[in-house]
Amino acid sequence: MTPPLLVLDTPALYYRSFHGLPDTIRSPHGRPVNAAKGLLDTISQLVGRWDSRRIIAVMDADWRPDFRTALLPEYKAHRITDPARGTETPPELEAQLPVIFDALDAFGIPIAEVPGTEADDVIASIVAQGGDEDIVVVSSDRDLLALLAPGRRVCVHRPRTGGRWETTALADLPAAYGVADGDAYRALAALRGDPSDGIPGVPGIGEKTAARLVAGYGGLDAIIAAAQRGDKEHGLSARRRENILAHADGVRAGERVMEGLTDLAVSDFVAAAGGEPDTARIAELSGLWGLERSVARLLATLTGDDVEVQTTEHVRATAEPVVGGAPVDRAVDSTSAGWAADFCAFDLETTGVDPHTGRIVSAALLPFAGGDEGPARTWLVDPGVEIPEAAQRVHGISTERARAEGQPTAVALPQIMDAVCALSASGTTLVGHNIVYDLTVLAAEAVRAGILPSPDSLLDRLPPVLDTLVVDREVDTYRRGPRTLGALAQHYGVSLDDAHDALEDARAAGLIALALARSSPALAETPAVALHDQQTVWKREQAASLQEFLRRRRPTAVVSGDWPLERLD
């Protein structure tokens, strides 16, 4: 059986690595190589997951093609970081692109780009011309779901937060998005809009409403015609009809902008997939850029042979730290304190213990840099509902005080969301104790407020997360006694004078995280993204163990292993 063709949206993957891995990952001569390392490690995972060496690395020859900006001048305009060059690429990433291109070429992975087009266009042409080929499109861009169509043997494999991957085929679209095929998804996306690409959408129409309209009426033309007739079916209220008609031209342009070209000459790229690695050139590049472990991992995955790696002695230590049984590359800069050098601690106080229904009453975000606290951001929130007496006894905030002194949820919630999600751009770790509770509350609140289309969409916006409860259970599994925040504070010698105050709880969680880092050099040296990924496994294993224990007395006991966010209905 022919293995599938892995078609990589390479810019999306190296951007993800650039923002997700610390810039302390450097070459022997001090140049950042975090994006290159992350991309090579991702390809290793993909080759193992799909058991295929047939890989095409698709690139943007032009990230804002003229034919798209002619349709929609706003297309990606807000991403331009250097107006003189018209580019969105940070200099630290741009300097790594030659490394990435050289490494891909040395591994025999064809680089596919066509002048005047984006990676999406090359991918769309490969898929459209694929015939009976099994194709796996690898990208974080949901727009590529529009490629799923009857008669095509294609799926979209998307990275998610926490080391998870989500694979979507044509048959998955109705359950996942409420539409039947890729064309319907593109219509949905045009109605919903995509701020990251400058696609405006229709105000007041989110993903679920867009799905109902597309499923009920068909394409955009039919929906616009229904609005003109004054139809009221499938959620087409008077306000939505008015907005659809006011934004009809922009929505049509958005749909056309998202349509990939399908007639590009791509056959040579497909024929070149599965090329042989140039081992001599690979060895030269790996030493030059200090990427020995990532290169060895990918070479072993592609060839099936064990590869001995000689690391650069003055840059890398010869022994790898091990956390939870998984080897982790040391940061190149030996003076770096890893994730512990720069993180933010987070805590919420709420109206109840159920994260699905609890409302935020107070919040705190406290930065730590070099072990020192920075200026905190705090919020007192009027949740718009009565705060139960039981909750008041815990955190001491009454309904009367929240109403008199707090900001309404509609004001505070976007601020809290923006503050937390902004950490993702810098790769700053978000720390909390049993933080899965806080993040689940935050996601539920954001969905209720219409800020997020679904709870899971918070995962795409989160920075790396460290949960002191999960990590403490892993590094000191057999210690007796409770693992509450107060118990951990006492164990690690951290002061917690005012428990259940959001700022004090955030401070305690941050100090416990620092104590954990001091107690375990391997933990401290683990890159934040890798540590996040490991916690998803640890939490699942911890939950399974606890559930097995509880079922000795309660056969129906269930312990959720979800992390860093509980699944919400």
Side-chain angles (χ1 to χ4, degrees), residues 238-428:
R239 181 65 179 273
R240 287 170 180 154
R241 291 196 301 271
E242 179 182 339
N243 286 343
I244 287 171
L245 295 177
H247 296 83
D249 290 343
V251 169
R252 287 192 176 106
E255 184 184 41
R256 291 175 64 194
V257 158
M258 287 186 285
E259 185 173 3
L261 303 178
T262 59
D263 58 353
L264 302 179
V266 295
S267 58
D268 288 348
F269 304 135
V270 176
E276 290 296 323
D278 182 339
T279 53
R281 188 173 168 208
I282 288 169
E284 179 185 358
L285 289 172
S286 68
L288 177 64
W289 297 110
L291 294 169
E292 297 95 333
R293 299 190 189 284
S294 296
V295 162
R297 190 177 298 122
L298 179 54
L299 191 57
T301 306
L302 288 171
T303 63
D305 298 328
D306 291 332
V307 179
E308 184 177 351
V309 182
Q310 296 295 326
T311 61
T312 309
E313 185 175 351
H314 69 279
V315 178
R316 307 268 180 114
T318 56
E320 292 181 307
V322 176
V323 180
V328 179
D329 286 348
R330 289 182 183 271
V332 177
D333 180 359
S334 62
T335 65
S336 170
W339 58 265
D342 185 14
F343 64 86
C344 280
F346 180 58
D347 187 72
L348 298 178
E349 298 300 326
T350 67
T351 58
V353 297
D354 184 348
H356 299 220
T357 58
R359 305 299 178 94
I360 298 172
V361 175
S362 64
L365 191 66
L366 177 63
F368 285 78
D372 297 326
E373 296 177 27
R377 292 193 65 181
T378 60
W379 294 264
L380 179 63
V381 183
D382 175 8
V385 298
E386 292 286 332
I387 301 174
E389 288 187 11
Q392 293 184 40
R393 288 195 296 270
V394 172
H395 50 60
I397 301 173
S398 66
T399 302
E400 292 72 24
R401 180 189 168 197
R403 288 175 178 170
E405 303 175 21
Q407 294 179 306
T409 298
V411 175
L413 181 62
Q415 296 177 9
I416 299 169
M417 282 285 296
D418 287 347
V420 169
C421 296
L423 302 177
S424 184
S426 61
T428 302

Side-chain angles (χ1 to χ4, degrees), residues 391-534:
Q392 293 184 40
R393 288 195 296 270
V394 172
H395 50 60
I397 301 173
S398 66
T399 302
E400 292 72 24
R401 180 189 168 197
R403 288 175 178 170
E405 303 175 21
Q407 294 179 306
T409 298
V411 175
L413 181 62
Q415 296 177 9
I416 299 169
M417 282 285 296
D418 287 347
V420 169
C421 296
L423 302 177
S424 184
S426 61
T428 302
T429 303
L430 185 68
V431 169
H433 185 77
N434 193 24
I435 200 170
V436 66
Y437 171 84
D438 304 85
L439 295 180
T440 304
V441 170
L442 188 63
E445 287 270 53
V447 170
R448 280 192 291 267
I451 295 174
L452 293 178
S454 65
D456 278 355
S457 59
L458 178 61
L459 294 172
D460 295 326
R461 301 176 61 182
L462 284 178
V465 175
L466 185 146
D467 191 329
T468 53
L469 174 61
V470 174
V471 174
D472 176 69
R473 281 176 171 165
E474 183 65 24
V475 301
D476 199 356
T477 303
Y478 301 106
R479 187 178 77 245
R480 294 181 178 273
R483 306 277 179 150
T484 63
L485 182 64
L488 262 63
Q490 183 176 5
H491 176 75
Y492 289 104
V494 169
S495 174
L496 181 56
D497 297 329
D498 191 7
H500 300 296
D501 172 86
L503 180 56
E504 287 302 309
D505 285 1
R507 177 179 289 112
L511 294 173
I512 290 167
L514 290 172
L516 284 163
R518 288 192 297 270
S519 68
S520 173
L523 177 72
E525 293 173 6
T526 303
V529 173
L531 184 56
H532 180 117
D533 293 351
Q534 288 171 338

Side-chain angles (χ1 to χ4, degrees), residues 59-116:
M59 298 286 186
D60 288 324
D62 187 342
W63 72 285
R64 291 187 74 227
D66 290 343
F67 69 89
R68 286 203 167 90
T69 55
L71 290 169
L72 190 68
E74 305 95 320
Y75 181 63
K76 294 185 179 178
H78 64 292
R79 292 197 202 172
I80 297 175
T81 56
D82 185 342
R85 295 186 301 134
T87 182
E88 65 169 347
T89 309
E92 298 82 4
L93 174 56
E94 193 164 17
Q96 298 184 54
L97 297 186
V99 183
I100 289 171
F101 276 71
D102 284 350
L104 292 170
D105 187 56
F107 274 105
I109 299 173
I111 296 168
E113 57 181 354
V114 176

